[in-house]
Amino acid sequence: MYDALMSDAPYDIWAAYIDGLLGEWFNERESSDAPLVLDLACGTGNITLRLAKLGYDLIGVDASEDMLAEAQRKSYEQSLATNILFLAQDMRELDLYGTVDAVVCVCDGMNYILNDRDLAEVFRRVRLFLNPGGVFIFDMNTEYKFKEVLKDNIFEARAESGEAYVWENRYDPQTNINEYHMTFTMAEGEAFSELHRQRAYPPANVRDKLLDAGFSAVAIRDGYSGESLKVESSRVVFIAS
């Protein structure tokens, strides 16, 4: 259902942008081995699989075993299973068997971390498992998007295969918490509801937390455009090393 309703997401653009950054980052590597990339909050593997097709070795981490099962199924279907290790973990408790060359987190997975302490812990653990000279690339929804774009609106969508959702949005500027009240209807007619909560963080605060976690440099950019951050940016990309 997730993939059916997210079919319009620009995964190809996101993956190409990340591949471009990683290509620039590792172009002076003397090793012939493919960089090992950790995809945090990988969901059903839409970015994981695209990066694997581009030649990277992947570890996909997500807290949802159901999402990971779908990602694993797709990896076998696309003959990519040998290039990807999927792990069911909460990113706040990230615990790998070794280190990685790069970490990515795409499609606002980091916004689901709702307090400063937990966000700092995620950054600390990412830094712990990142090789020297590695890079951490992730995006976040901005307060502008929550406050000025999503606001207190209602959104509806229906996939060609019949799945549908109604999304009731609420943003609290006092807590910076955005709530998505989602009602899903399966193609067969069965309906269920979920409550999703994300938090907006000022980019400068995120940068400071990355530096506190041990990163030495942080670039902040508008979405996946490569341009400088704007007041009206809906998505911000952080590149930490």
Side-chain angles (χ1 to χ4, degrees):
M1 177 175 248
Y2 177 85
D3 284 341
L5 293 170
M6 289 289 288
S7 61
D8 292 337
Y11 294 119
D12 289 338
I13 294 174
W14 294 342
Y17 181 88
I18 291 170
D19 180 45
L21 289 178
L22 294 180
E24 292 176 12
W25 201 265
F26 295 114
N27 64 355
E28 296 181 357
R29 286 171 59 97
E30 297 181 358
S31 173
S32 59
D33 295 335
L36 177 57
V37 180
L38 167 64
D39 186 7
L40 279 179
C42 68
T44 61
N46 291 305
I47 292 296
T48 321
L49 297 171
R50 283 168 170 81
L51 292 179
K53 287 179 181 177
L54 291 169
Y56 299 96
D57 291 325
L58 270 296
I59 299 174
V61 167
D62 200 276
S64 169
E65 293 184 5
D66 290 335
M67 298 283 265
L68 288 175
E70 180 63 12
Q72 185 77 68
R73 184 194 66 78
K74 292 193 296 185
S75 74
Y76 280 105
E77 189 178 75
Q78 299 177 34
S79 301
L80 295 168
T82 57
N83 300 89
I84 306 170
L85 171 66
F86 289 109
L87 299 173
Q89 292 184 4
D90 186 314
M91 69 174 78
R92 295 168 296 185
E93 300 172 356
L94 181 67
D95 189 13
L96 303 181
Y97 304 114
T99 54
V100 298
D101 300 304
V103 180
V104 302
C105 184
V106 177
C107 200
D108 47 84
M110 207 64 68
N111 287 100
Y112 281 96
I113 304 300
L114 300 180
N115 64 68
D116 294 283
R117 181 188 67 254
D118 285 350
L119 188 65
E121 179 63 12
V122 172
F123 292 165
R124 188 189 71 80
R125 299 195 75 80
V126 167
R127 186 68 189 86
L128 178 65
F129 292 106
L130 190 62
N131 283 327
V135 62
F136 179 24
I137 304 166
F138 64 96
D139 69 48
M140 299 183 89
N141 282 331
T142 63
E143 183 179 21
Y144 176 86
K145 180 176 181 178
F146 291 141
K147 190 176 181 180
E148 304 296 337
V149 179
L150 300 180
K151 303 189 284 189
D152 290 344
N153 287 324
I154 297 176
F155 306 91
E156 298 182 24
R158 180 175 295 276
E160 291 184 3
S161 50
E163 296 89 349
Y165 70 72
V166 176
W167 164 356
E168 299 176 69
N169 199 81
R170 297 288 184 273
Y171 178 66
D172 184 347
Q174 301 301 316
T175 63
N176 300 117
I177 298 294
N178 192 82
E179 292 190 346
Y180 308 78
H181 296 265
M182 310 287 294
T183 300
F184 297 93
T185 304
M186 301 180 72
E188 300 80 8
E190 180 183 351
F192 62 95
S193 297
E194 294 181 352
L195 174 63
H196 290 247
R197 303 175 78 228
Q198 291 190 345
R199 179 180 169 187
Y201 289 90
N205 289 8
V206 175
R207 179 196 59 212
D208 290 346
K209 286 181 174 57
L210 287 164
L211 295 174
D212 289 343
F215 291 92
S216 58
V218 180
I220 302 175
R221 299 180 181 174
D222 166 74
Y224 289 89
S225 68
E227 299 177 358
S228 299
L229 190 66
K230 307 176 182 64
V231 172
E232 66 275 16
S233 294
S234 292
R235 192 181 295 276
V236 55
V237 168
F238 295 89
I239 305 165
S241 59

